[in-house]
Structure formats: structure tokens, C-alpha cells
Amino acid sequence: MLNLRAVSDAVAQPAGTTEPSDEALMLAYGTGEAAAFERLYARHRQRLYRFLLRELRDTALADEIYQDIWQRVIAARSGWRPDATFATWLYRIARNRLADHWRAARHRPPAPLDADARLARVPDDDTPERRLAAEQRNTGLQLALEALPPEQREVVLLRLEQELTLEEIGAITGAGRETVKSRLRYAMDKLRAAMTP
């Protein structure tokens, strides 16, 4: 099992210097610079984990697949070539790993039964009325996301949470730019309709 360090432990870039690109860091890591991997990991760990958690809705499973993805990055270090951006390559690995999981599982698990209770445990300094309204919005958004067809949900998560371009999403999903754009537009229309009182 791979034990990756927390972001706070990762190598920091001295102030006033230009940050190297992800691709430059991956190439440096391929030549044996461990600090380059630590920086790549620090840049992408939270967004990748959040993407997996949203797709899987199971912390233990997200942890397992997350570790597997980073192990694959490590295993590919010496042969990696920048044919696409590092982020595109990383999310393609994630998407393929998720597809493997869903094929093996043959189903998408329902949202946890205690999802509302989890949301209620989140501390909030606002009034009870505001908390209730926010909880209802969050639950409504989560339900609306879950109701989307898988291709549309995937595009929304990659675009809004991972901030990938349409071209990067197309490279990850194997769909053309216009298909990605269409899926995103339909998904956003459905989300707006679901969230409109």
C-alpha cells in the first residue's frame, strides 16, 4: 500500500520563483527527482480525491482507488511522455480505473442512507433556518447530480470541480469537443431546472 504524504509535508517552492509545469515535474520525476513527484502530488491530490469521492460516494473505496491511481503514476514515471497535459493523463487513469470498478461491480451504489445526517453534523454559525435552506440546496444539488446520466455527470464534475477544459475532458472521455460541450449544456440545463423552485 502506498502511503502518500499530506500536502503540508510536500516540498514548497521558494517565493519569487516560477513554478515548473506539471509536465516538467513529471519528466523530472522520471529521471529520479522524488521532490518533483511530491510537488505534482501536492497540486493534484485534493481535486483528484474530491472527484473520486463524488463519483464513488464511498470513502473507503475512494481511498483505495486513489492510492491505485497514484501507484500507476509512479509505475509509469520512467516511460511517461507529454503527449497530453499531465492533468488530462491523470484523469484518464482515474476514469479508466472507475470504469474498471463499475464493470466489476455492475451497479452504481445509492447515496448513503445517512447523507442527511452527515450534512447536519457540519458546523455552521448561521441561523437554523439558513442551515436548513443550505442543507436542502446541497441535498437537492447532490440529488440532481445523481439523477444525471453518467456521461453528463462526469462532464459536469470534470469541468466544474476539476476546472478542465472541454478539450481536456474530451481527451479523458474519448468524446469530441462538441459532444462534451453538448453533454455539459444538457447537464447544466437539467441542474438549473432541478434547482429552480
Side-chain angles (χ1 to χ4, degrees):
M1 177 64 99
L2 179 66
N3 288 317
L4 297 171
R5 297 182 345 186
V7 170
S8 61
D9 297 334
V11 175
Q13 178 73 9
T17 60
T18 303
E19 284 285 322
S21 69
D22 290 342
E23 294 73 29
L25 288 172
M26 187 63 183
L27 289 170
Y29 178 51
T31 64
E33 291 183 37
F37 173 77
E38 292 178 1
R39 290 172 69 187
L40 274 173
Y41 177 70
R43 286 182 186 178
H44 294 278
R45 76 181 207 49
Q46 290 177 328
R47 292 188 325 170
L48 176 63
Y49 186 76
R50 191 169 46 242
F51 172 71
L52 292 172
L53 198 54
R54 289 257 194 201
E55 283 289 318
L56 297 165
R57 296 184 302 274
D58 180 322
T59 305
L61 187 55
D63 289 344
E64 177 186 329
I65 291 177
Y66 177 79
Q67 293 289 326
D68 185 50
I69 291 166
W70 285 109
Q71 286 176 338
R72 291 177 189 208
V73 169
I74 290 167
R77 71 183 172 270
S78 61
W80 186 82
R81 297 291 170 259
D83 298 327
T85 67
F86 176 80
T88 298
W89 180 70
L90 179 67
Y91 283 96
R92 190 176 301 138
I93 293 171
R95 183 174 189 268
N96 290 341
R97 185 59 184 83
L98 286 168
D100 292 345
H101 166 73
W102 294 126
R103 263 192 302 277
R106 297 273 190 244
H107 77 285
R108 184 174 177 89
L113 296 175
D114 65 341
D116 291 333
R118 290 180 190 183
L119 284 174
R121 287 193 299 264
V122 175
D124 190 356
D125 295 330
D126 288 329
T127 65
E129 294 81 17
R130 284 188 158 174
R131 277 186 294 209
L132 179 60
E135 186 175 314
Q136 288 172 340
R137 278 192 308 274
N138 289 338
T139 301
L141 180 58
Q142 187 62 38
L143 291 173
L145 276 169
E146 289 175 16
L148 291 174
E151 309 84 38
Q152 291 177 8
R153 180 178 46 256
E154 180 179 51
V155 169
V156 166
L157 294 174
L158 289 171
R159 179 69 182 126
L160 299 181
E161 289 195 346
Q162 308 312 316
E163 300 176 359
L164 298 175
T165 67
L166 298 179
E167 291 78 14
E168 289 171 324
I169 295 169
I172 291 167
T173 62
R177 182 185 191 283
E178 290 304 313
T179 300
V180 170
K181 188 176 177 181
S182 175
R183 287 177 183 170
L184 183 61
R185 183 178 61 248
Y186 286 125
M188 294 306 291
D189 288 346
K190 289 176 184 176
L191 289 176
R192 278 188 208 96
M195 298 304 291
T196 302

